[in-house]
Amino acid sequence: MAIGYGLLQTKSNSQGAHFMANTSRQADLDFAADLFKAADKMRGGLEPSEYKHVALGLIFLKYISEAFQAMHDQLAEDDFADPEDPEEYLAENVFWVPETARWSFIQDNARSENIGKIIDDAMEAIEAEPTNETLKGVLPKNYARPTLDKTMLGELVDLFSNVKMHDSADRARDLLGRVYEYFISGFASAEGKRGGEFFTPRSVVRTLVEMLEPYQGRVYDPCCGSGGMFTQSEKFIEDHGGNPLNLSVYGQEINHTTWRLAKMNLAVHGIDAAIEWDSAGSFHKDAHPGLKADYILANPPFNISDWGGDRLTEDERWQYGIPPKGNANFAWIQHIIHHLAPRGHAGVVLANGSMSSQTSGEGEIRKRLIEEDRVDCMVALPGQLFYSTQIPVCLWILSRDKSANGLRDRRGEVLFIDARNMGHMVDRVRREFSDEDIERIAGTYRRWRAKPETLEEKGWDAYADEPGFCKSEGLETIRKFDHVLTPGRYVGAADAEDDGVPFEEKFVALSKSLADRFERSKELEALIQDTIGAIKS
């Protein structure tokens, strides 16, 4: 399964191209933000959880229609091609769009009182095409419902009609992908706690992706939400001059509505993926039982207690101990390790309790994971990164083989990173990492595991412990801490910043200050005694 609907172009890795890409990306994000604000004004009394499907469905329809039209125009210029033959589009991995589902038809009828039914019919027609098998059951088809204001719907069609998703050369731009992703983020923010069910903050996803560097191979997410782990992996490959076609994508999602969001999200990013839905979830009906992935990136729901562990006590995945029935954290970790290839790496977001809990056998499972050398790095994150919870969380970086993959032999070592004080507040309740924050965390991990020749080749400084931020520690020390993995226990306190004042001068000044305080203390003591004496008399 490979990334790409035949529409992605591999970007240059030159410095100039990278700068241009970043500049273009920022412009696209600014545009997406403005578009979201305009669209959000139209929703009126409609709840964000309901409105997101209205808006995202239309963006998706707009995208595939333009991709189809670009291909249609290209085929029309070819004397040996038939632009009305669906098979021509299948060969190029472009969705076939029937005439009544094309955006030009939708736009022409934007002010019709039947616009809702016209959009529903368009979605049905697209799904009904045999060449569009991957969209079966994915698209929203409830635009004709009486509670949906038709004037608002027509205005939304007009708004998106002004967005051109393809350039003059008929190649897909990634603008639509950014717009879609920004809308998902915006709706997650508006929905608050419920938004966290389908969206992992970009800061967290980018940190994981930059740490693991998934250039090629199989990438898997057993609880994929709206697919953010996959889209960020694709961006990482393109930004570093790689070929997205070298990555295969697999995932599973328990929520059917969220699964549909993921399918559309991946489609507009041009990512061909085996994303499966099952209401039983990955624990009870694993959609990819034989998969051994090179990279696993996951943000499982935190501390879920009703995961049905009592029905899985003999499961082959529990190689490090039976997870407690009341908390699925270590079930997720073991499920993920079970699916890792012999040289695979994984990045998992979990609640902080997973680093230190000793209840219900969790301490013993964590001990076995450490003693069998599966833990590569632990990162403590700050609070307020998530829409769904304000609690701080952590990243578990796991490796099947800490001596492989052209990296430094790290057997018997664990890197601890304390990033709790990093990031900046973007509003009253939510924090984000800057590009510099992400690079500091990911760059530290990359340098720590790099071979000396790699450091020299890339011009990187050698890794060094940094008090208060990072520490490479051996198993002996971790054993002394009862196999607790909280980074704050290992990294120590940050060094005081050197202000350039010689110690001798500081000592004289501090001594004088202390003497002054002692003298003042004596004066206050005498004053208090005099006051007490006056009261007694």
Side-chain angles (χ1 to χ4, degrees):
M1 207 57 67
I3 284 184
Y5 278 103
L7 298 173
L8 293 171
Q9 304 294 320
T10 301
K11 298 176 183 174
S12 166
N13 198 31
S14 68
Q15 194 170 20
H18 188 63
F19 172 78
M20 292 296 290
N22 284 340
T23 303
S24 174
R25 176 169 297 173
Q26 185 56 52
D28 287 349
L29 288 174
D30 291 343
F31 171 77
D34 291 340
L35 191 66
F36 181 79
K37 289 177 185 176
D40 197 44
K41 287 179 182 177
M42 296 178 186
R43 71 179 172 92
L46 211 58
E47 287 296 316
S49 57
E50 186 178 5
Y51 184 63
K52 77 167 177 276
H53 299 291
V54 174
L56 292 173
L58 283 178
I59 293 173
F60 179 80
L61 185 59
K62 164 77 168 170
Y63 170 75
I64 64 169
S65 182
E66 285 206 4
F68 167 83
Q69 193 60 53
M71 189 69 196
H72 188 280
D73 293 345
Q74 182 179 327
L75 292 171
E77 297 177 359
D78 187 341
D79 293 336
F80 300 98
D82 179 5
E84 292 299 324
D85 181 3
E87 295 297 325
E88 297 275 11
Y89 298 84
L90 184 63
E92 296 296 329
N93 293 320
V94 173
F95 293 116
W96 166 262
V97 182
E99 191 169 349
T100 56
R102 296 170 193 175
W103 191 261
S104 56
F105 182 80
I106 305 296
Q107 186 177 357
D108 289 344
N109 289 277
R111 298 300 172 181
S112 168
E113 61 181 22
N114 295 319
I115 182 60
K117 185 177 187 307
I118 289 170
I119 295 173
D120 284 344
D121 290 345
M123 299 293 191
E124 292 276 6
I126 290 169
E127 285 193 6
E129 285 295 328
T131 55
N132 297 338
E133 181 65 29
T134 57
L135 296 180
K136 189 77 68 180
V138 170
L139 306 184
K141 297 176 284 291
N142 56 355
Y143 289 88
R145 64 187 185 274
T147 56
L148 191 59
D149 184 83
K150 303 306 181 284
T151 301
M152 176 274 290
L153 193 54
E155 290 175 349
L156 202 55
V157 170
D158 287 340
L159 178 67
F160 292 149
S161 294
N162 295 325
V163 183
K164 185 170 179 58
M165 304 302 181
H166 293 77
D167 61 23
S168 58
D170 293 335
R171 293 176 302 174
R173 297 171 57 200
D174 61 358
L175 171 60
L176 188 278
R178 299 191 196 289
V179 167
Y180 195 94
E181 183 179 19
Y182 192 95
F183 270 59
I184 287 180
S185 172
F187 288 125
S189 178
E191 289 185 59
K193 185 171 183 178
R194 288 186 61 193
E197 297 174 1
F198 65 88
F199 182 77
T200 303
R202 192 165 175 265
S203 286
V204 178
V205 179
R206 281 194 58 211
T207 301
L208 280 176
V209 169
E210 291 287 339
M211 291 181 77
L212 294 185
E213 301 183 291
Y215 284 109
Q216 60 183 9
R218 293 152 297 185
V219 61
Y220 168 59
D221 184 346
C223 42
C224 66
S226 54
M229 297 290 185
F230 304 135
T231 60
Q232 288 296 326
S233 296
E234 175 247 351
K235 288 189 181 106
F236 173 84
I237 293 172
E238 290 197 329
D239 286 349
H240 292 78
N243 186 351
L245 294 173
N246 292 334
L247 202 66
S248 301
V249 172
Y250 303 85
Q252 186 165 348
E253 173 54 41
I254 194 171
N255 183 294
H256 188 261
T257 302
T258 304
W259 170 79
R260 288 164 53 195
L261 284 179
K263 293 283 283 186
M264 289 192 291
N265 188 20
L266 296 175
V268 299
H269 278 88
I271 300 175
D272 187 9
I275 304 295
E276 306 298 333
W277 165 77
D278 191 276
S279 59
S282 295
F283 290 141
H284 296 276
K285 192 168 183 181
D286 191 347
H288 307 285
L291 175 66
K292 297 299 181 182
D294 301 291
Y295 304 97
I296 300 178
L297 301 100
N299 173 30
F302 302 146
N303 301 321
I304 56 171
S305 58
D306 55 347
W307 64 284
D310 55 328
R311 305 195 304 274
L312 295 170
T313 53
E314 303 298 323
D315 198 281
E316 65 173 345
R317 290 169 289 186
W318 315 148
Q319 295 297 305
Y320 305 91
I322 300 174
K325 299 173 184 177
N327 193 312
N329 287 343
F330 283 94
W332 284 115
I333 286 181
Q334 294 189 81
H335 173 87
I336 285 165
I337 292 177
H338 173 78
H339 277 289
L340 272 182
R343 295 186 176 186
H345 304 293
V348 191
V349 187
L350 286 176
N352 274 0
S354 63
M355 298 188 289
S356 58
S357 173
Q358 301 290 351
T359 61
S360 304
E362 289 184 329
E364 284 301 312
I365 297 175
R366 187 173 56 251
K367 177 181 177 180
R368 287 194 61 183
L369 288 167
I370 294 166
E371 292 295 337
E372 296 190 29
D373 226 7
R374 296 293 178 258
V375 183
D376 205 26
C377 176
M378 297 297 302
V379 184
L381 297 177
Q384 297 180 285
L385 284 174
F386 284 76
Y387 296 110
S388 55
T389 178
Q390 302 303 310
I391 66 170
V393 299
C394 60
L395 304 180
W396 288 64
I397 306 300
L398 307 166
S399 292
R400 268 284 189 188
D401 183 351
K402 291 162 68 173
S403 69
N405 291 24
L407 304 171
R408 180 180 68 83
D409 189 339
R410 309 170 313 286
R411 285 175 290 183
E413 300 175 39
V414 176
L415 176 64
F416 294 94
I417 297 176
D418 190 344
R420 289 177 296 172
N421 295 320
M422 296 177 68
H424 61 281
M425 299 300 292
V426 293
D427 53 40
R428 186 175 55 84
V429 297
R430 198 169 61 83
R431 181 182 299 272
E432 282 186 357
F433 284 151
S434 65
D435 290 346
E436 292 74 20
D437 292 332
I438 293 171
E439 178 53 34
R440 187 183 182 202
I441 297 169
T444 297
Y445 175 62
R446 292 195 301 261
R447 288 185 291 109
W448 173 76
R449 68 178 188 169
K451 288 184 175 181
E453 53 266 35
T454 303
L455 294 169
E456 183 177 353
E457 175 190 338
K458 294 184 177 292
W460 294 347
D461 294 331
Y463 168 82
D465 291 337
E466 186 178 333
F469 177 64
C470 62
K471 182 74 164 69
S472 180
E473 200 59 86
L475 291 182
E476 284 301 320
T477 301
I478 297 173
R479 288 173 187 139
K480 292 177 183 177
F481 282 105
D482 294 326
H483 297 89
V484 168
L485 293 174
T486 308
R489 294 199 177 196
Y490 300 93
V491 302
D495 288 338
E497 186 175 347
D498 186 4
D499 56 9
V501 180
F503 173 75
E504 292 79 6
E505 292 183 25
K506 287 183 181 179
F507 184 77
V508 171
L510 289 171
S511 298
K512 184 178 185 307
S513 175
L514 188 60
D516 290 343
R517 291 175 184 274
F518 283 151
E519 187 64 33
R520 178 59 177 159
S521 176
K522 290 178 182 178
E523 293 174 0
L524 289 172
E525 184 179 358
L527 179 61
I528 291 170
Q529 292 293 345
D530 290 345
T531 303
I532 292 174
I535 293 173
K536 287 181 177 179
S537 60

